[in-house]
Every structure is written in C-alpha cells, then in structure tokens.
Amino acid sequence: MTDRLAQTDDRCHRLFQAGNPCSEDLEAVFRNLCQPLPASGRPRVIAQLGQSLDGRIATVTGCSRFINGEDGLTHLHRIRALCDAVVVGAGTALADNPRLTVRRVHGPQPVRVVIDRHRRVPQTHHLFTDGEAPTLRLVAGDYRAPEQLPDLEGVQEVPCLADDARLCPHTVLRVMADYGLMRVFVEGGGVTVSSFLHAGLIDSLHVLVAPMIIGSGRPAFSLPEIDQLDDALRPNARCVNLGSDMLFALDFPESGSASMPEEAGAATSAAPAGSPAAPSPRS
C-alpha cells in the first residue's frame, strides 16, 4: 500500500482540475482524507451514506438505485481511489450486486471487502466473478492472524466473525490492519456504517444529500436513542455543492484516539441483532 500513499498528494491535485466552482472546498475535503494515520495504529476509517432530503437511503422495498446523481457517484469513486479497501455489508452486496471498483476517475483499485457472515451473497455476483480487484469475504469462524502480510489476489475467505448476527467493527479493522489495509472506506449500507459510528471508529463521514423526498423508507442511521441534545454527535462539518448533490463532509477528531482490542473478537460494540441491512446506492 506504500505506492498508493505515495501517489496521494498528486492524486488529490488532479481530482478538482475539472473546474468545479467549489474546487477549493473540495480540495480541502480530499486533503483531509489524506492525513496521516491515527496515532493509535488502527486503520483510518472513512465512511459515506447517500440519502434523500428526508434522511432515507432506500424505499421500503429496498430500492436505492440511484438516490444520488452523477456528481455524487463520481465523488464516491474518488474516495475509492484514495483508499486501500472498500467495505460493504452483505445486505448491500446482495441487493445491489456492486462492483466497488474505480471507473469514473483515474486511480488504483481498492481491495473489496464484504462482511458476509453466512455467505448470503451469491457466488455469481460481480465481487466474486469479475476479477477487477481482489475481494476479501469475511465469514463466521475463529480468526487466525496471518504470520506475514498476505498476497491479495482473487477471492479469499477470512473466518473472523462471531456467529450471532452481530457486527463487531473492531474485528473488521483488526483484520484490515493484519492485511495491510490501513485506509478503509466503509461504503454501506446504513446498518454497517451506523455500527462503525456507534463504536467511535469513523474518522471522516461523507453524507451525500440528494434533492429528493422519498417520504418513507429505510433510514440512513440506526443509532441508540438519546434523551438530551447534549448527547448528540456534533462533528466538524464542511458543506460542498457537488452539483447534483450536497456533500456534508464530517470529521470526528476524537475517533483518532480509539484503538483496537487485543483480540479480534473482544470488542463489544456491535450492530443490533436482526437489524435490516439497508442497501445504499452502489455501482
């Protein structure tokens, strides 16, 4: 992953040479994504959600292609190009059959990671058949850390998840670190992103808001209830008009101090069992 990081500054310069009137703001957003890794030694985590004005990422039937417009989708591909790995939950992979590759901009392909505890995603899906980028399939089982940095080719299964339908984001990040994937893009869906956010492991969150009102459907965030607004999350925010979508680039400085537990399965922060895995607009 050293080559990718060495190219980061040059790639950031190239991203906004297309004449976007908000190029300075966009440049600041991407330069922030290229900051050094957290002092804790864990991977840096970037996450995103694409939603409607009323906070929906899909209809009640799960339809989500496409809530965001062309400019929002291009922004998504830019983030992929800057990261070592792009992570999605099984629900998103199952519903959207995404490629998770870099196609709208120039840049290297990230390793694709699907959290697929019980192998719900069909073997015929793009992630397992197109050969465009390596794919890690995280499944249920006892995790054994590799003794040396593995070669990432083709499709590999990594037993590491508990069998109780609860996601432990700390486990996912420990596996990413053991595989040398230190800039991780959690692309969806809503439950997966929410579990990382609740665990305090997201450094930057990009919320792409489309000028659309769905009226009902699946919410972007699924977090524990709070009683007082003093308990609400208040990240640093920068707003950028991308054209088809409004970007809210949110930073959580305190997340950089969060570290991983000693064992991959030792963390307790997890997504609620039985939560619907809401898909997000992937391509």
Side-chain angles (χ1 to χ4, degrees):
M1 300 307 156
T2 303
D3 291 342
R4 180 189 298 270
L5 297 180
Q7 298 168 13
T8 294
D9 284 344
D10 181 56
R11 193 176 308 129
C12 280
H13 275 298
R14 295 200 305 267
L15 290 177
F16 30 80
Q17 288 180 349
N20 189 314
C22 298
S23 60
E24 290 186 4
D25 287 335
L26 197 58
E27 177 177 1
V29 166
F30 276 93
R31 286 206 172 277
N32 182 62
L33 298 185
C34 300
Q35 292 300 310
L37 297 172
S40 63
R42 69 160 175 81
R44 179 175 175 82
V45 178
I46 304 159
Q48 80 84 39
L49 284 173
Q51 66 172 52
S52 61
L53 287 170
D54 53 341
R56 306 296 181 179
I57 61 173
T59 66
V60 291
T61 62
C63 181
S64 63
R65 298 172 71 107
F66 289 107
I67 289 177
N68 295 111
E70 294 294 316
D71 298 316
L73 293 175
T74 297
H75 182 79
L76 193 69
H77 283 237
R78 287 170 175 164
I79 302 177
R80 289 177 185 172
L82 290 173
C83 292
D84 300 328
V86 54
V87 178
V88 295
T92 293
L94 183 63
D96 292 349
N97 190 15
R99 297 182 185 276
L100 304 182
T101 52
V102 177
R103 302 186 304 283
R104 290 173 171 262
V105 299
H106 295 291
Q109 301 293 353
V111 174
R112 304 175 295 189
V113 181
V114 57
I115 303 171
D116 191 17
R117 177 180 286 101
H118 297 303
R119 300 175 178 85
R120 295 166 51 204
V121 183
Q123 294 284 359
T124 54
H125 271 33
H126 295 310
L127 293 175
F128 307 131
T129 61
D130 63 16
E132 294 294 326
T135 298
L136 295 181
R137 188 183 209 172
L138 308 188
V139 299
D142 295 330
Y143 179 59
R144 292 186 179 183
E147 296 182 359
Q148 59 185 12
L149 201 62
D151 292 328
L152 294 173
E153 297 179 351
V155 179
Q156 300 180 30
E157 282 200 354
V158 182
C160 62
L161 303 176
D163 199 36
D164 61 359
R166 298 178 68 87
L167 172 62
C168 177
H170 292 84
T171 297
V172 176
L173 290 192
R174 177 161 294 281
V175 174
M176 297 298 95
D178 288 345
Y179 278 72
L181 306 172
M182 297 303 293
R183 292 181 188 270
V184 176
F185 180 28
V186 181
E187 193 171 309
V191 171
T192 301
V193 171
S194 295
S195 68
F196 276 84
L197 185 59
H198 180 48
L201 294 175
I202 291 179
D203 300 289
S204 298
L205 172 63
H206 285 198
V207 180
L208 294 164
V209 181
M212 173 190 299
I213 298 174
I214 297 177
S216 61
R218 301 183 181 181
F221 298 100
S222 301
L223 296 168
E225 295 180 356
I226 60 172
D227 295 323
Q228 303 295 328
L229 289 179
D230 289 343
D231 297 326
L233 298 175
R234 296 182 184 272
N236 299 329
R238 182 186 295 269
C239 300
V240 182
N241 185 353
L242 298 179
S244 64
D245 303 273
M246 182 64 70
L247 166 65
F248 289 81
L250 312 176
D251 295 319
F252 298 84
E254 68 279 3
S255 294
S257 60
S259 60
M260 295 179 292
E262 290 301 316
E263 298 297 333
T268 58
S269 296
S275 298
S280 50
R282 299 293 129 255
S283 176

